Amino acid sequence: MKVSSYIDERKSRFASHSFFGFLYDSSVSVERRISFLPRLSHFVMSFADISQYILPFESPENDLERAINVHSEEDANHWQWFINDLKRMEKSSGGLLTDHILFLWSGENKNGRLLTYKLISLIAGQPAKMRLVAVEVMEAAGNAFFEALADVTKEISPALEYCGELHLSHETGHTIGSDEELVDAVEYSPEEMKQVRAIIDDGFLAFENFFTELEENTRPR
């Protein structure tokens, strides 16, 4: 099976997560359905750090390393749209800094943090061909999520940025500046393919665990 085909297979499984069903549950107000946004904070801001400090190569030596750097530079700035949406949707920005810290590092938000740490472990110190696989996993999961978010929030006016079409237009589902065949053009040995599949499985599992956590903390009981 081609690498892109296996990623598509895992993306399809991810997109069937029950959290997506909750996002589309019209019996619940849109505001309640996206009330999980503050719980994304640790991941969104950490993802910016991953894109700026972990994913890129300091001195790229070939086209693949340069492609990774181009992608990471673009992804590093999406957090600004998230902050703008938070300001729009939050009823109040009050509260002590210590309260916000305790909330983000609480047990009920641990899977968001574990997702960050898992992605770092899949990327740090790896050659470009393996970082590319991790990027494709992140892009596939992000594309599924932001397609749903943009659809669910399309009636909100003025339009949201991180949750809306603006962000979705930058989430192609693949590495920036490439098409879905790039990852299939890379040669992987049989031993490397085991690592490739592990990156895909571990990455999607971490996203799935995070979405389970979001649903548990957001769905009305």
Side-chain angles (χ1 to χ4, degrees), residues 38-50:
R39 297 180 185 275
L40 296 183
S41 300
H42 184 281
F43 175 71
V44 173
M45 303 309 290
S46 295
F47 183 79
D49 279 348
I50 290 174

Side-chain angles (χ1 to χ4, degrees), residues 173-188:
H174 300 287
T175 307
I176 296 296
S178 71
D179 57 33
E180 60 183 300
E181 303 303 323
L182 176 61
V183 73
D184 293 323
V186 176
E187 293 186 5
Y188 296 99

Side-chain angles (χ1 to χ4, degrees), residues 128-187:
K129 59 169 60 175
M130 295 304 175
R131 297 190 199 194
L132 175 63
V133 175
V135 166
E136 290 291 306
V137 169
M138 291 186 288
E139 285 298 305
N143 180 255
F145 182 40
F146 294 117
E147 274 190 352
L149 264 186
D151 192 24
V152 167
T153 63
K154 62 187 177 185
E155 301 301 327
I156 295 178
S157 181
L160 296 177
E161 297 177 4
Y162 188 84
C163 298
E165 290 292 337
L166 174 63
H167 194 183
L168 179 60
S169 69
H170 289 73
E171 294 290 339
T172 64
H174 300 287
T175 307
I176 296 296
S178 71
D179 57 33
E180 60 183 300
E181 303 303 323
L182 176 61
V183 73
D184 293 323
V186 176
E187 293 186 5

